[in-house]
Amino acid sequence: MILERLEALPVGSFHYKLLVVTGLGWMFDSMDTGLISFVLPMLTKEWGLTPEQAGWIGSIGLIGMALGAVLAGTIADRLGRKRVFAATVILYSVSTGLCALAWSYESLLFFRFLVGFGLGGELPVAATLMSEYAPAQIRGRFIVLLESFWGLGWLVAACISYLVIPHFGWKIAFVIGTLPALYVFLIRMHMPESVRYLISKDRIDEAKDIILDLECKLNVRSRDFDEELSPLEKGTEAQAAPTFSTLWTAQYRMRTIMLWLAWFGIVYSYYGIFMWLPSIVYSQGFEIVKTFEYVLAMTLAQLPGYFAAAWLVDRIGRKYTLSIFLLMSGVFSYFFGNATTPTMLLMFGAAMSFFNLGAWGVIYTYTPEQYPTAIRALGSGWAAGFGRIGGMLAPMLVGVMLVHGIGMNMIFAMFASVFVLISAVVMALGVESKNKTLEEIDEAMIAPAHNS
């Protein structure tokens, strides 16, 4: 009865406010990630860092993100989505500010690890919370729009880097990065705990109070709750405590394999391409890559990619949209690597950015839908955490390839191959989940195990 009324709520101010509140967290995450990529060249010059040391500043954050995604997801299934979301925002905000006070290379590495831990923990928890509130018919669209705030964060980072840092130095970037700590007050005021989480923890009265409050805010006629829970809610309440081994039981094993491979491939290709993009392209004689206009064009292309994915994901489905966007990311990665003029570079680069970031939006939609409430944040966190391993490996591999004289065309052919491979994995192993409530998805997963 509680979940039926949650799904029946009309899409209104609450859903859009939740989208903005969680989206701002996403934007701040992206802003921090973007700022470090812009700050790194200045920091390298001022501190006299070797290329290996500079690389570790980027990699240590990814290590933190991997651990943060896994641990925060696990904790969120035990202590709640809202509490963990707020804690991770505080962690990366304070740690970013401490980076401005770093007194040595080693202290900066430590603070960047903490920043990464907070960033990695916040993303899957935010996506889980949003997916548990958005009604089935618009859930996919809302999660992709949530991911689109990542593009806005990169725009903010680019503007800070080109308009503020040259006048005030690199430390100002980290000082600005402390501002999200103030945003936690918005979280506490405008973000309720997940109703599905509360039911899974037998906190039924709190869940009912949230539903009554939302019905009042959305001008829905309220009525008293029946004493008995519906069969779906009893099933949610009866879920076992989350454990890692649950992800590998018969009903979830193929989903876990599909998600881990997809996450690994998309993170591997994204960080391998975009962390080295300026250096690789500039080394090929394309000086345009050093201009603000080039960065702006590549970043702006992400936004229509998100919007296109948001439109498609509730029409043709998550599985097919994700597969198509991954495949096209591979196609345009290949053409980008073989560009011979600045015009081709910009055109194929924008197309690559369009499909690559659109795919990111879909995978954040798709992942939480593959697991039931009791292990949703756990499963999402482990998938994202495993994916971060790809983000650690790819930049190092590209560096090795460059040292051995391997050109831009071969490097991007490798990334194109990875995109095509994971597109095929999603198509072969993925299960469609559009226009289904999370409980209907849960039942579909559990039924085969009962019938076997």
Side-chain angles (χ1 to χ4, degrees), residues 72-84 193 197-198 201 203 242:
T74 303
I75 295 171
D77 280 328
R78 297 177 182 273
L79 301 182
R81 285 55 162 135
K82 178 180 178 178
R83 187 181 299 177
V84 175
E193 181 54 86
Y197 165 79
L198 292 174
K201 296 301 179 183
R203 293 160 60 179

Side-chain angles (χ1 to χ4, degrees), residues 36 39-51 53-54 57 98-112 170-171 174:
I36 192 62
V39 164
L40 200 53
M42 300 177 65
L43 197 60
T44 300
K45 182 178 179 180
E46 183 175 324
W47 284 11
L49 302 178
T50 65
Q53 288 175 316
I57 293 176
L98 290 174
C99 289
L101 303 176
W103 57 89
S104 65
Y105 170 71
E106 290 75 18
S107 64
L108 181 62
L109 285 181
F110 177 71
F111 295 142
R112 288 307 302 172
W170 59 268
K171 290 186 177 182
F174 294 128

Side-chain angles (χ1 to χ4, degrees), residues 82-410:
K82 178 180 178 178
R83 187 181 299 177
V84 175
F85 182 79
T88 53
V89 172
I90 286 286
L91 177 59
Y92 81 71
S93 300
V94 173
S95 301
T96 299
L98 290 174
C99 289
L101 303 176
W103 57 89
S104 65
Y105 170 71
E106 290 75 18
S107 64
L108 181 62
L109 285 181
F110 177 71
F111 295 142
R112 288 307 302 172
F113 172 81
L114 294 179
V115 170
F117 191 97
L119 292 175
E122 188 266 336
L123 295 175
V125 174
T128 297
L129 181 63
M130 190 73 238
S131 69
E132 290 180 340
Y133 265 111
Q137 69 272 19
I138 54 93
R139 188 173 60 243
R141 190 186 325 150
F142 264 54
I143 303 300
V144 178
L145 290 175
L146 171 64
E147 168 67 10
S148 73
F149 280 82
W150 186 270
L152 295 178
W154 266 93
L155 285 174
V156 173
C159 290
I160 292 172
S161 299
Y162 285 97
L163 302 177
V164 179
I165 292 177
H167 300 287
F168 298 98
W170 59 268
K171 290 186 177 182
I172 191 65
F174 294 128
V175 173
I176 293 173
T178 63
L179 295 179
L182 301 175
Y183 152 74
V184 171
F185 294 104
L186 282 177
I187 296 175
R188 295 188 180 279
M189 288 190 296
H190 298 291
M191 180 184 289
E193 181 54 86
S194 165
V195 169
R196 287 179 165 89
Y197 165 79
L198 292 174
I199 293 174
S200 73
K201 296 301 179 183
D202 199 22
R203 293 160 60 179
I204 308 302
D205 289 338
E206 293 177 60
K208 290 179 178 179
D209 289 341
I210 291 175
I211 294 297
L212 291 172
D213 182 59
L214 292 179
E215 288 177 338
C216 179
K217 290 178 179 177
L218 294 171
N219 297 318
V220 175
R221 185 178 178 182
S222 296
R223 61 190 187 280
D224 291 337
F225 282 95
D226 296 332
E227 289 300 320
E228 292 294 325
L229 298 178
S230 69
L232 281 177
E233 291 159 354
K234 290 179 179 178
T236 301
E237 184 182 7
Q239 292 286 351
T243 61
F244 174 75
S245 61
T246 308
L247 302 178
W248 298 97
T249 53
Q251 60 265 48
Y252 309 126
R253 187 180 303 124
M254 297 308 294
R255 295 166 186 256
T256 298
I257 292 172
M258 180 271 295
L259 289 173
W260 282 34
L261 289 176
W263 269 96
F264 183 92
I266 197 171
V267 178
Y268 175 90
S269 300
Y270 175 82
Y271 283 98
I273 290 173
F274 286 95
M275 284 188 71
W276 279 99
L277 191 61
S279 301
I280 295 174
V281 179
Y282 188 69
S283 68
Q284 301 297 313
F286 293 105
E287 295 187 10
I288 190 175
V289 78
K290 291 294 185 180
T291 67
F292 175 64
E293 290 80 4
Y294 175 84
V295 175
L296 194 61
M298 291 286 286
T299 305
L300 286 174
Q302 298 175 9
L303 297 178
Y306 288 125
F307 299 148
W311 186 82
L312 288 169
V313 77
D314 283 322
R315 286 168 173 77
I316 68 172
R318 286 79 157 122
K319 172 181 174 178
Y320 297 106
T321 304
L322 181 57
S323 296
I324 291 169
F325 273 63
L326 289 172
L327 177 62
M328 297 309 293
S329 296
V331 170
F332 285 109
S333 296
Y334 177 80
F335 285 122
F336 181 85
N338 287 274
T340 55
T341 67
T343 301
M344 292 174 63
L345 192 78
L346 281 173
M347 182 176 67
F348 292 132
M352 177 179 67
S353 190
F354 176 99
F355 285 105
N356 188 211
L357 275 298
W360 272 95
V362 183
I363 201 167
Y364 268 110
T365 301
Y366 197 37
T367 303
E369 295 177 344
Q370 300 304 299
Y371 298 108
T373 300
I375 61 169
R376 184 166 294 125
L378 172 74
S380 298
W382 270 100
F386 184 77
R388 300 297 172 188
I389 297 175
M392 300 173 209
L393 294 177
M396 292 187 289
L397 180 58
V398 171
V400 172
M401 295 174 77
L402 290 173
V403 168
H404 287 81
I406 297 176
M408 177 175 163
N409 59 335
M410 292 301 297

Side-chain angles (χ1 to χ4, degrees), residues 264-266 268-269 326 330 413-423:
F264 183 92
I266 197 171
Y268 175 90
S269 300
L326 289 172
M414 174 191 68
F415 289 124
S417 300
V418 172
F419 276 127
V420 172
L421 180 62
I422 59 174
S423 173

